Amino acid sequence: MRIVIAEDDALLREGLALLLRAESLDVVATTDTPGAFLAAVDAYAPDVAIVDVRMPPTHTDEGIVAAVEARRRQPGLAVLVLSAYVEQTFATELLASGTERLGYLLKERVGRVEEFLAALRRVAGGGTAFDPEVVGQLLSRSRPDSTLSRLSPRERDVLALMAEGLGNGAIAERLFVTEGAVHKHIRSIFAKLDLPPDDRADRRVTAVLRFLEDTQL
């Protein structure tokens, strides 16, 4: 797994690089500006980019803009966004490119090493990894007239955990139910969101995308 890190906080940037290299992961470049990050993406064609939302020069949404551009230049690039808190611009800009190979974690999660590494590997493998707090805030902002209103409270819980990137077994453990119950809830979610079986699309990913689209600001 080839990784580029874009983080202007030197301590966090180098700490991440040391952590990942200790796990035998290939950190090919560490950068501290959007321009240097995009140059590294062009030069190294990484599998994953870890990107801070706020970067120089204005420390607003430069990281998000750079991540969008990186995914345009290298389709299929996995991006794990790090932020001190939930950013509204993330929902409206980066999600427009789809949710596959995409993650969003609050920086405080990096200290939970196993969770952070699991999220990174999920994103690199083509999945999603959304911080529970991010999912919770998005879910609370869903519109009354959205398709999510068709779901029962338990189905919304299951869909939110799917958005975090959890599999059926992990969802069952989190909700203290059986995997069979989770499977039934997911089938119901697919039906209520009008997602019939279709070999051309992964309904699980599509359901998560529908959730994120309906909860964008």
Side-chain angles (χ1 to χ4, degrees):
M1 186 191 304
R2 295 162 58 81
I3 303 169
V4 168
I5 299 172
E7 168 60 63
D8 67 316
D9 183 316
L11 184 60
L12 179 56
R13 183 176 66 249
E14 296 310 314
L16 279 170
L18 286 172
L19 168 64
L20 297 173
R21 285 169 177 152
E23 293 292 322
S24 299
L25 299 174
D26 188 10
V27 179
V28 295
T30 61
T31 63
D32 59 1
T33 66
F37 163 61
L38 291 173
V41 168
D42 290 340
Y44 295 103
D47 303 301
V48 186
I50 300 175
V51 186
D52 184 15
V53 170
R54 294 175 177 262
M55 298 186 71
T58 68
H59 295 278
T60 53
D61 65 347
E62 282 89 350
I64 291 294
V65 173
V68 171
E69 174 61 17
R71 280 165 70 96
R72 186 192 68 79
R73 295 185 185 188
Q74 186 179 319
L77 173 67
V79 172
L80 180 59
V81 174
L82 300 179
S83 180
Y85 51 87
V86 180
E87 299 277 355
Q88 294 183 7
T89 54
F90 169 74
T92 57
E93 293 180 39
L94 192 54
L95 285 177
S97 63
T99 61
E100 292 185 38
R101 298 181 181 275
L102 186 62
Y104 185 101
L105 295 180
L106 297 183
K107 288 185 177 180
E108 64 188 49
R109 306 289 178 187
V110 176
R112 302 175 186 178
V113 176
E114 292 303 320
E115 291 182 18
F116 171 70
L117 292 173
L120 179 65
R121 291 188 173 103
R122 275 204 306 274
V123 170
T128 59
F130 289 86
D131 193 286
E133 186 170 334
V134 174
V135 172
Q137 289 200 28
L138 289 174
L139 190 58
S140 69
R141 295 168 180 158
S142 62
R143 301 185 300 274
D145 60 345
S146 75
T147 55
L148 295 181
S149 63
R150 304 175 188 173
L151 305 182
S152 70
R154 177 59 83 184
E155 289 164 352
R156 289 165 69 92
D157 291 341
V158 170
L159 183 54
L161 293 173
M162 288 167 61
E164 289 180 32
L166 301 186
N168 289 9
I171 293 173
E173 290 181 9
R174 185 79 68 86
L175 298 179
F176 302 102
V177 298
T178 65
E179 281 195 53
V182 171
H183 183 66
K184 289 180 180 178
H185 286 312
I186 292 175
R187 283 193 302 177
S188 179
I189 289 168
F190 290 159
K192 291 181 179 179
L193 295 184
D194 300 321
L195 299 174
D198 187 341
D199 292 337
R200 295 171 299 174
D202 183 331
R203 287 192 295 170
R204 196 180 189 93
V205 172
T206 304
V208 170
L209 179 57
R210 185 76 57 80
F211 160 69
L212 293 168
E213 287 175 341
D214 282 355
T215 53
Q216 283 186 30
L217 297 180

